[in-house]
Amino acid sequence: MSESSWPDCQECTSGNLLPLSDFGSQGAPIHYKAWVCTSSTCGYNIKIRNGDVYINEPIASGESHSPRPR
Ligand SMILES: [Zn+2]
């Protein structure tokens, strides 16, 4: 399988949806838990958690959270 076999992103139609895997609480791998668009300007993502599907959740950058005005 090549990278071009990933499905096209239906949101921006220029990126591809990349499958991401995660690890469960028991350390068991969870394959294709989430799909994220490869276009950084798009950010379309879909994931499953506890049997529910979530679409276009905000992506955490892993750096610092954006400051909240108060
Ligand atoms: Zn996209």
Side-chain angles (χ1 to χ4, degrees), residues 20 36 43 45 47 57-66:
L20 302 179
V36 180
N45 63 89
K47 71 194 67 164
E57 277 197 327
I59 298 179
S61 64
E63 298 174 353
S64 61
H65 293 287
S66 58

Side-chain angles (χ1 to χ4, degrees), residues 8-17 36-45:
D8 293 332
C9 174
Q10 303 299 311
E11 190 76 9
C12 66
T13 67
S14 63
N16 296 102
L17 293 178
V36 180
C37 179
T38 54
S39 174
S40 58
T41 57
C42 174
Y44 179 80
N45 63 89

